[in-house]
Amino acid sequence: MVVVILVVMVVVKTMVEVEVVVEVVQVEVVVEVEVEVVVVMMVVVVEMVVVGGSSGGGSHTGGDVPFPRACQKDSLADLMFLVDESVGTKQNLRDLQNFLKNITFSMDVKDNCLRLGLMSYSDRVQTFSLLSSSTTQSEFQKQIQKLSLQAGKSNAGAAIEKMRREGFSASSGSRRAQGVPQIAVLVTDRPSDDKVREAALNLRLEDVTVFAMGIQGANKTQLEEIVSYPPGQTISMMKSYADLEIYSKNFLKKLQNEIWSQISTHAEQMELDKTGNAISAFHFSAGCVDTKEADLYFLIDGSSSIQNKHFEQIKEFMLAVIEMFSIGPDKVRVGAVQYSHEKEVEFDINDYTNDVALRKAVSNIKQLGGNTLTGAALDFILPLIRKGRKQRMNEVPCYLIVLTDGMSMDGVLEPAERLRAEHITIHVVGIGEANRTQLQQIAGAEERVNFGQNFDSLKSIKNEVVRSICTEKGKQKKKVLFSVLRWLLQAG
Ligand SMILES: *[C@@H]1O[C@H](CO)[C@@H](O)[C@H](O)[C@H]1NC(C)=O
Ligand SMILES: *[C@@H]1O[C@H](CO)[C@@H](O)[C@H](O)[C@H]1NC(C)=O
Ligand SMILES: *[C@@H]1O[C@H](CO)[C@@H](O)[C@H](O)[C@H]1NC(C)=O
């Protein structure tokens, strides 16, 4: 069985000009069930090459950051370390330094692919190296040697705040505006004496992926407030500083995977861009070109347990999902119902026929307040969906995305099954206090449950929900299991 794979190689010529080269490669796949649907896999390989452009001179400062010439796919990032300098003993300090050295030793600091920064804290914050200042491997190693043993309180919150404002600012060398992955790594062995939640949230909202290494004594609950979602992957707990060095190889892999996956997501989004317009080298609006026709409903929890600013994040989530699709009467249509113990149709599936009007309608949604009755809300939306279906010439896929932060006071299983019986695919996004059993009952399958610790995890959840919706069509009837044995890139 031979299936064609398209390998799209993207050559970034300048910041805005993008050239796409398509190559055809053959791949063998093992197919377990007879194939009814043609399976087309897209493998996106990104080669970042800047033709012309900056000459790598050191004259660039501030927002005008030189763009990398050619980077390994896993080494284009701005990476800041924030270490607690009150480590107790000289040996611990040496272990910490060795860890930092080992992690950064094999990284490609030159050519501006990877930029490294180093800050430390105890009761006050110290900056050893800004992203723009250590332009070589050995310079950064020298900065690591300057770390010294400190005593004093642990003000991690203040340190994170300073890292956001100063460490990750464009004038310090951050290339966030160019879409370069932003990553922070915190190392500490004790609980923080100040509050961390707000400072860390602000940092993550600026697109920084936050990892934490907790040495015995650190407060794991607090680290969970700090790191990016999912904490199971971003927190590493260790018994002692001595364990850091042993762990350095694995951690380096983890970082590289993160960078690689961020860069690949950008590339994938570019490939899927519905308008074909790449705004800059990395800033691409995304879309699901395959989902030509579908009805998409949002059922959003507006109960009082949700703070207003978090409700705004739910709306941002809706806008971000909508942006991924082509909106129109014969394309993707979107409807929304808000609920608490009341229900309100925010807009019906045929109310808005273009994305401008739709976006405006989402922005205008006002939070209801009240208790959480998700079951009743699910029952409420079913007749709406039935009515919407009658307006279509053909049957099109129908998706319902439920967003909730709380435990429902009524049963959800039966209402959800009534929806599923009519071929409505339910995705659920639970945040914070949401009851996992109920989420599972609403979605009907674990793979359609997304769970976020915090509201800012909605950002990464969005990608998962959309990816899942956009790939669901191909496996609608027969389940096709395939595994790629090998693929050969024809020399090009
Ligand atoms: C750990 O942090 C959490 C959240 O900040 C806090 O409620 C808890 O009391 C802390 N535990 C310890 C042992 O410091
Ligand atoms: C870390 O670096 C030291 C000194 O460069 C080296 O001896 C050690 O083997 C490295 N450890 C690991 C786990 O790579
Ligand atoms: C979660 O929901 C299930 C089903 O409604 C219920 O049996 C369970 O007690 C709930 N768990 C919590 C912690 O409230």
Side-chain angles (χ1 to χ4, degrees):
M1 180 72 207
V2 174
V3 168
V4 174
I5 291 204
L6 287 173
V7 176
V8 181
M9 296 184 76
V10 181
V11 181
V12 182
K13 284 178 84 176
T14 68
M15 297 296 284
V16 283
E17 231 179 289
V18 175
E19 189 181 288
V20 180
V21 184
V22 180
E23 293 190 15
V24 178
V25 184
Q26 285 189 335
V27 167
E28 281 179 64
V29 296
V30 184
V31 179
E32 209 177 282
V33 202
E34 53 181 302
V35 188
E36 208 173 58
V37 202
V38 178
V39 184
V40 179
M41 253 188 79
M42 311 279 285
V43 174
V44 181
V45 176
V46 195
E47 286 289 327
M48 264 157 295
V49 182
V50 176
V51 183
S54 73
S55 54
S59 59
H60 298 268
T61 48
D64 180 22
V65 192
F67 205 73
R69 198 170 276 284
C71 299
Q72 296 285 318
K73 289 178 269 296
D74 54 8
S75 69
L76 175 62
D78 293 338
L79 175 59
M80 289 278 315
F81 291 93
L82 177 63
V83 299
D84 187 344
E85 246 182 324
S86 170
V87 295
T89 68
K90 280 244 157 65
Q91 183 57 46
N92 285 347
L93 181 65
R94 268 195 298 275
D95 288 336
L96 175 62
Q97 287 169 322
N98 281 342
F99 166 71
L100 293 172
K101 278 198 279 187
N102 283 26
I103 285 280
T104 53
F105 184 69
S106 52
M107 286 181 160
D108 190 11
V109 182
K110 69 176 194 314
D111 273 350
N112 275 324
C113 291
L114 191 84
R115 291 188 168 186
L116 296 173
L118 178 61
M119 293 172 99
S120 80
Y121 73 97
S122 52
D123 50 359
R124 59 190 193 88
V125 189
Q126 243 186 308
T127 303
F128 287 89
S129 180
L130 293 172
L131 291 168
S132 56
S133 55
S134 292
T135 49
T136 66
Q137 174 65 246
S138 57
E139 263 173 70
F140 190 75
Q141 304 278 338
K142 269 187 221 146
Q143 299 304 321
I144 295 172
Q145 287 313 115
K146 290 188 186 156
L147 289 169
S148 61
L149 210 53
Q150 301 286 336
K153 283 190 150 185
S154 166
N155 289 328
I160 290 168
E161 176 64 17
K162 186 157 180 180
M163 176 166 67
R164 178 183 69 82
R165 273 190 287 108
E166 295 173 20
F168 281 105
S169 70
S171 58
S172 304
S174 159
R175 293 163 294 172
R176 174 185 174 219
Q178 284 90 335
V180 172
Q182 307 285 293
I183 297 176
V185 178
L186 172 77
V187 188
T188 184
D189 66 358
R190 52 183 180 158
S192 177
D193 294 313
D194 65 354
K195 291 209 162 67
V196 295
R197 183 189 282 271
E198 199 72 21
L201 174 63
N202 290 335
L203 180 66
R204 296 192 306 267
L205 286 175
E206 293 191 2
D207 295 326
V208 178
T209 303
V210 187
F211 289 87
M213 326 280 294
I215 317 294
Q216 194 157 48
N219 181 334
K220 184 137 186 260
T221 316
Q222 219 170 37
L223 294 183
E224 279 169 5
E225 293 176 355
I226 294 174
V227 296
S228 296
Y229 176 86
Q233 281 180 37
T234 47
I235 298 179
S236 315
M237 296 300 285
M238 246 146 294
K239 280 222 172 65
S240 68
Y241 280 94
D243 288 347
L244 274 178
E245 191 183 317
I246 305 158
Y247 185 63
S248 62
K249 255 199 194 115
N250 284 337
F251 189 66
L252 179 62
K253 273 212 193 92
K254 200 181 253 196
L255 286 179
Q256 287 168 334
N257 286 344
E258 173 65 27
I259 297 169
W260 170 225
S261 93
Q262 283 195 28
I263 289 177
S264 331
T265 308
H266 282 300
E268 204 174 307
Q269 290 178 348
M270 178 168 64
E271 163 56 22
L272 297 171
D273 186 346
K274 67 182 173 194
T275 61
N277 290 328
I279 299 152
S280 77
F282 285 95
H283 282 183
F284 311 112
S285 77
C288 297
V289 284
D290 280 345
T291 311
K292 293 217 165 52
E293 275 190 275
D295 285 346
L296 178 64
Y297 288 84
F298 289 96
L299 181 61
I300 56 173
D301 182 349
S303 60
S304 303
S305 56
I306 297 179
Q307 286 178 34
N308 194 261
K309 71 173 177 190
H310 292 149
F311 191 73
E312 292 304 310
Q313 282 175 296
I314 289 182
K315 283 156 65 174
E316 297 272 319
F317 173 88
M318 293 171 70
L319 290 173
V321 170
I322 290 169
E323 197 174 86
M324 314 287 271
F325 298 95
S326 298
I327 304 299
D330 303 316
K331 297 175 187 160
V332 175
R333 303 188 304 171
V334 181
V337 170
Q338 184 187 175
Y339 77 97
S340 54
H341 58 278
E342 299 175 83
K343 301 106 180 163
E344 191 163 282
V345 179
E346 298 298 345
F347 43 88
D348 216 334
I349 199 90
N350 59 349
D351 281 355
Y352 300 107
T353 52
N354 64 71
D355 52 355
V356 177
L358 191 59
R359 296 177 69 82
K360 200 165 160 216
V362 172
S363 305
N364 285 335
I365 296 176
K366 300 274 181 297
Q367 187 175 359
L368 282 172
N371 293 325
T372 313
L373 291 176
T374 312
L378 289 168
D379 275 335
F380 176 81
I381 207 164
L382 178 57
L384 282 183
I385 295 177
R386 281 189 191 134
K387 193 178 86 194
R389 274 195 168 150
K390 292 204 184 106
Q391 298 153 356
R392 289 270 192 190
M393 301 284 276
N394 315 308
E395 190 178 329
V396 307
C398 180
Y399 303 103
L400 173 63
I401 302 178
V402 181
L403 285 116
T404 180
D405 86 319
M407 164 90 187
S408 178
M409 295 159 105
D410 61 354
V412 294
L413 180 60
E414 284 174 9
E417 291 196 327
R418 283 193 274 275
L419 287 159
R420 267 192 288 284
E422 305 202 14
H423 308 290
I424 297 156
T425 309
I426 310 177
H427 288 263
V428 63
V429 179
I431 302 141
E433 303 298 308
N435 175 320
R436 282 173 194 255
T437 314
Q438 281 185 345
L439 298 182
Q440 167 95 36
Q441 289 176 343
I442 296 170
E446 190 63 49
E447 75 230 37
R448 292 192 299 272
V449 176
N450 287 277
F451 188 78
Q453 211 80 8
N454 315 300
F455 277 81
D456 66 312
S457 50
L458 282 177
K459 222 181 219 169
S460 48
I461 288 174
K462 179 208 77 186
N463 288 338
E464 276 170 43
V465 170
V466 170
R467 188 165 301 158
S468 160
I469 288 178
C470 294
T471 53
E472 236 156 46
K473 274 181 47 174
K475 49 181 183 184
Q476 246 171 10
K477 287 203 174 115
K478 302 233 160 163
K479 274 213 176 126
V480 183
L481 294 172
F482 61 94
S483 66
V484 178
L485 283 179
R486 66 191 166 93
W487 57 286
L488 298 161
L489 239 173
Q490 284 172 345

